[in-house]
Amino acid sequence: MKAAFVLVKCEQGRVAEVAKAIIEIDGVSEVHSVTGDHDLLVKLYAESYDAFGDLIPTQIQRVAGIRETSTMLAFRAFTGGS
Amino acid sequence: MKAAFVLVKCEQGRVAEVAKAIIEIDGVSEVHSVTGDHDLLVKLYAESYDAFGDLIPTQIQRVAGIRETSTMLAFRAFTGGS
Amino acid sequence: MKAAFVLVKCEQGRVAEVAKAIIEIDGVSEVHSVTGDHDLLVKLYAESYDAFGDLIPTQIQRVAGIRETSTMLAFRAFTGGS
Amino acid sequence: MKAAFVLVKCEQGRVAEVAKAIIEIDGVSEVHSVTGDHDLLVKLYAESYDAFGDLIPTQIQRVAGIRETSTMLAFRAFTGGS
Amino acid sequence: MKAAFVLVKCEQGRVAEVAKAIIEIDGVSEVHSVTGDHDLLVKLYAESYDAFGDLIPTQIQRVAGIRETSTMLAFRAFTGGS
Amino acid sequence: MKAAFVLVKCEQGRVAEVAKAIIEIDGVSEVHSVTGDHDLLVKLYAESYDAFGDLIPTQIQRVAGIRETSTMLAFRAFTGGS
Amino acid sequence: MKAAFVLVKCEQGRVAEVAKAIIEIDGVSEVHSVTGDHDLLVKLYAESYDAFGDLIPTQIQRVAGIRETSTMLAFRAFTGGS
Amino acid sequence: MKAAFVLVKCEQGRVAEVAKAIIEIDGVSEVHSVTGDHDLLVKLYAESYDAFGDLIPTQIQRVAGIRETSTMLAFRAFTGGS
């Protein structure tokens, strides 16, 4: 499985509503509210990087109340002793 | 336990070396190389938010080869059905 | 008490109105209009960092006329001779 | 008196040292370590906005260990009932 | 006289209309359409820095079709042989 | 011919629609959906740099569903052995 | 083949030297000097997205004179009539 | 004549020295120290946009003490009654 992270800015006052909608999407494993320029940090998985090309615009970005997203694909997960 | 995320820019050519040093730090649970403006995304845990005030400058930021960091504290982890 | 700073972008033409609404919120101690990318800099206090996780989305971000916020938690206040 | 805020990025591992040097500068009233893209938020006062044009480059920016600064001048401080 | 620069993002398709409205404002001396993240760069003058605190929010930012502004005050104009 | 690149943020859920409208514009040679802060990267050509001053605001930015653009002009294309 | 774009900031005065080194790397198809926050825009190809995870840090980022990179993977190339 | 603007970040403590070197370069008409993320705003002229492709990297960016530049080309200068 491949991992990606999406930083999300919500329309003001809709953070909890957006978070609850995103966590129900297939492939999404974590949704955190965070300090800084964005409201939410989302971690999601797919079988291939290509799959994120569909999953992010057609599933994540269509959630009502999202204003802006920034996507990072994770290439490699480092582990202790690696 | 409280969670935080740190985005890291490394000196050019030192990404793997920095990642391997960070993953050994107590409290660090994940280190991913990522696309975008930063080289690494780090997830770490501490017993309180106050503890990040020490952990990040004295442990993470002192790793040789780090050029810049951006820190996000996670307030709430949303879960399915929450 | 813990301190946090919130940088605020307002809908065009609503800076003074937003500032006056924010200064009335419990825990807010200072609201300044500032040069740069943001319109307002807000300083606020809470009893714990956890409290900001509620205070900022439910109180600050719901003020009408806010377009975008960026939150910084203050870990440590340095003082002369410290 | 006029107020300004300076966000500071420090060379890695030198945050406390830089903060302690800045707090000793005349006109500086607060130095906080903060989450986000910057390491420190500094509040300072001067008799006129013009004075910041000297104070910031000749006093603040010359502190050893500073890597980058971003300056915001405060135009107006909003107060309750104003 | 003091100088300031304002970078402006317009609502899509309204750049020329916004530029023509801004150039008519007292104190505005130049309006350029520019490449990059912003649509327009505006140069303006006022008798004091304090005056920008009124001029920018009440005159510039209220122009219809502006989406976002970023303000820079100019401290010193360097000249040849200075 | 001169080249330029435009990074585009779309209104949420309209990326494919915007991309298909842009690719039909004269002078546009490539439209890619991309990871990161923007949704699309567009490459376009014109006979002179001056022509981009018209082409980008009157053709690209008027496509329905665009929220924000950032324009880069390409000065020089480096080629192997150059 | 999959495509990616890398925006590059160079050490001051080394743009042409860096560009000439990058264009010789396998998989790199275009290097342009550009206006804006970055000095160069690089287009490169690999057989899979995974391959960029090696190619970018071990080939591109090790070029002498690079100061900072920002990577965008291209998911889909839109074409006329698509 | 065509106009361009260059925002400059200097090495800490070298703003005045850099400004004085830039103002002596042919084509440079204004250099201002400014508030915000950058230290200097430079206005320069050339006979064509192509000329900036040489002027900026070979003249401006080689000034000792510059750390980073961001370039905006000006397409059109709006004037009153235009």
Side-chain angles (χ1 to χ4, degrees):
Chain A
M1 295 293 276
K2 305 299 183 184
F5 295 89
V6 183
L7 288 160
V8 178
K9 293 184 188 181
C10 301
E11 291 171 18
Q12 298 297 135
R14 302 184 70 178
V15 175
E17 169 196 347
V18 169
K20 287 171 187 170
I22 292 176
I23 195 69
E24 301 298 336
I25 295 170
D26 267 3
V28 171
S29 67
E30 300 177 34
V31 180
H32 304 267
S33 60
V34 288
T35 61
D37 298 339
H38 292 82
D39 298 306
L40 297 171
L41 175 69
V42 178
K43 187 178 183 183
L44 67 169
Y45 288 97
E47 285 188 25
S48 68
Y49 291 118
D50 295 71
F52 291 121
D54 284 331
L55 179 58
I56 293 168
T58 67
Q59 299 278 316
I60 306 285
Q61 293 191 341
R62 283 179 191 280
V63 169
I66 287 183
R67 203 162 46 79
E68 193 162 335
T69 57
S70 177
T71 303
M72 294 176 280
L73 302 195
F75 277 128
R76 177 175 171 191
F78 292 83
T79 52
S82 68
Chain B
M1 294 294 278
K2 306 299 183 185
F5 295 90
V6 183
L7 287 160
V8 178
K9 294 184 187 180
C10 301
E11 290 171 18
Q12 297 298 135
R14 302 184 68 177
V15 176
E17 168 195 348
V18 169
K20 287 171 188 171
I22 292 175
I23 196 68
E24 302 299 337
I25 295 171
D26 266 3
V28 171
S29 67
E30 299 177 34
V31 179
H32 304 267
S33 60
V34 288
T35 60
D37 298 339
H38 292 83
D39 298 305
L40 297 171
L41 176 68
V42 177
K43 186 178 183 182
L44 68 169
Y45 289 97
E47 285 188 26
S48 68
Y49 292 118
D50 295 71
F52 291 122
D54 285 330
L55 178 58
I56 292 168
T58 65
Q59 299 278 315
I60 306 285
Q61 293 190 342
R62 283 180 191 279
V63 169
I66 287 184
R67 201 160 48 79
E68 194 163 336
T69 57
S70 177
T71 303
M72 294 176 280
L73 301 194
F75 277 127
R76 179 177 169 190
F78 292 83
T79 52
S82 68
Chain C
M1 295 293 277
K2 305 298 183 185
F5 295 89
V6 182
L7 288 160
V8 178
K9 294 184 186 180
C10 301
E11 291 171 18
Q12 298 298 135
R14 302 184 69 178
V15 176
E17 168 196 348
V18 170
K20 286 170 187 170
I22 292 175
I23 195 70
E24 302 299 336
I25 295 170
D26 267 2
V28 171
S29 66
E30 300 176 34
V31 179
H32 304 266
S33 59
V34 288
T35 60
D37 298 340
H38 293 82
D39 297 306
L40 297 170
L41 175 68
V42 178
K43 186 178 182 182
L44 68 169
Y45 289 97
E47 286 187 25
S48 67
Y49 291 119
D50 295 71
F52 291 121
D54 284 331
L55 179 58
I56 292 168
T58 67
Q59 300 277 316
I60 306 284
Q61 293 190 341
R62 282 180 191 279
V63 169
I66 287 183
R67 202 162 46 79
E68 194 162 335
T69 56
S70 177
T71 302
M72 293 176 281
L73 301 194
F75 278 128
R76 177 176 171 190
F78 292 83
T79 52
S82 70
Chain D
M1 294 294 278
K2 305 299 183 185
F5 295 90
V6 182
L7 288 159
V8 178
K9 294 184 187 179
C10 301
E11 290 170 20
Q12 297 298 134
R14 302 184 69 178
V15 175
E17 168 196 348
V18 170
K20 287 171 188 170
I22 292 175
I23 196 67
E24 301 298 338
I25 295 171
D26 266 2
V28 171
S29 67
E30 299 177 34
V31 179
H32 303 267
S33 60
V34 288
T35 61
D37 298 339
H38 293 83
D39 298 305
L40 298 170
L41 176 68
V42 177
K43 186 178 183 183
L44 68 169
Y45 288 98
E47 286 188 25
S48 68
Y49 292 119
D50 297 71
F52 291 122
D54 285 330
L55 180 58
I56 292 168
T58 67
Q59 299 278 314
I60 305 287
Q61 293 190 342
R62 283 180 190 278
V63 170
I66 288 183
R67 202 161 47 79
E68 194 162 334
T69 57
S70 177
T71 302
M72 294 176 280
L73 302 195
F75 278 128
R76 178 177 170 190
F78 292 83
T79 53
S82 68
Chain E
M1 295 292 278
K2 305 299 184 186
F5 295 89
V6 183
L7 288 160
V8 178
K9 294 183 186 181
C10 300
E11 290 171 18
Q12 297 298 135
R14 301 184 69 177
V15 176
E17 168 196 350
V18 170
K20 287 171 187 170
I22 292 175
I23 196 68
E24 302 298 336
I25 295 170
D26 267 3
V28 171
S29 66
E30 299 176 35
V31 179
H32 303 267
S33 61
V34 288
T35 59
D37 297 340
H38 293 83
D39 297 306
L40 297 171
L41 175 69
V42 177
K43 186 178 182 181
L44 68 169
Y45 288 98
E47 286 188 26
S48 68
Y49 292 118
D50 296 70
F52 291 122
D54 284 331
L55 179 58
I56 292 167
T58 67
Q59 299 277 315
I60 306 285
Q61 293 191 342
R62 283 179 190 281
V63 170
I66 287 183
R67 202 161 46 79
E68 194 162 335
T69 57
S70 178
T71 302
M72 294 175 279
L73 301 194
F75 278 127
R76 177 175 172 191
F78 292 83
T79 52
S82 69
Chain F
M1 296 293 278
K2 305 298 183 184
F5 295 89
V6 183
L7 287 160
V8 178
K9 294 184 187 181
C10 300
E11 290 171 18
Q12 298 297 133
R14 302 184 69 177
V15 176
E17 168 196 347
V18 169
K20 287 171 187 170
I22 291 175
I23 195 68
E24 302 298 337
I25 296 171
D26 267 2
V28 171
S29 67
E30 299 177 34
V31 179
H32 304 267
S33 60
V34 288
T35 59
D37 297 340
H38 293 83
D39 297 305
L40 297 171
L41 175 69
V42 177
K43 187 179 182 181
L44 68 168
Y45 289 97
E47 286 188 24
S48 68
Y49 290 119
D50 295 71
F52 290 121
D54 284 332
L55 179 58
I56 292 168
T58 66
Q59 299 278 315
I60 306 285
Q61 293 192 341
R62 282 179 192 280
V63 169
I66 288 183
R67 203 162 45 80
E68 194 163 334
T69 57
S70 177
T71 303
M72 293 176 280
L73 301 195
F75 278 128
R76 177 174 172 192
F78 292 83
T79 51
S82 67
Chain G
M1 296 291 278
K2 305 300 184 185
F5 295 90
V6 183
L7 287 160
V8 178
K9 293 185 188 180
C10 301
E11 291 171 18
Q12 297 299 134
R14 302 184 68 177
V15 176
E17 168 195 347
V18 169
K20 287 172 188 170
I22 292 175
I23 196 68
E24 302 298 337
I25 295 170
D26 267 3
V28 171
S29 67
E30 299 177 34
V31 179
H32 303 267
S33 59
V34 289
T35 60
D37 297 340
H38 292 83
D39 298 304
L40 298 171
L41 175 68
V42 177
K43 186 178 183 182
L44 67 169
Y45 288 97
E47 285 188 26
S48 68
Y49 292 117
D50 296 71
F52 291 121
D54 285 331
L55 179 58
I56 292 168
T58 66
Q59 300 277 316
I60 305 285
Q61 292 191 341
R62 283 180 192 277
V63 170
I66 288 183
R67 201 161 48 81
E68 194 162 334
T69 57
S70 177
T71 303
M72 293 176 281
L73 302 194
F75 278 128
R76 178 176 170 189
F78 291 83
T79 53
S82 70
Chain H
M1 295 292 279
K2 306 298 183 186
F5 295 90
V6 182
L7 288 160
V8 178
K9 293 184 188 180
C10 301
E11 291 171 17
Q12 297 298 133
R14 302 184 68 177
V15 176
E17 167 195 348
V18 169
K20 288 171 188 172
I22 292 175
I23 196 68
E24 301 298 336
I25 295 170
D26 267 2
V28 171
S29 66
E30 298 176 34
V31 179
H32 303 267
S33 60
V34 289
T35 60
D37 298 340
H38 293 83
D39 298 305
L40 298 171
L41 175 68
V42 178
K43 187 178 183 181
L44 68 169
Y45 289 97
E47 286 188 25
S48 68
Y49 292 118
D50 296 71
F52 291 121
D54 285 331
L55 179 58
I56 292 167
T58 67
Q59 299 276 316
I60 305 286
Q61 293 191 341
R62 283 180 191 279
V63 170
I66 288 183
R67 201 161 48 79
E68 193 162 335
T69 57
S70 176
T71 302
M72 295 177 279
L73 302 194
F75 278 128
R76 178 176 170 191
F78 292 83
T79 53
S82 67

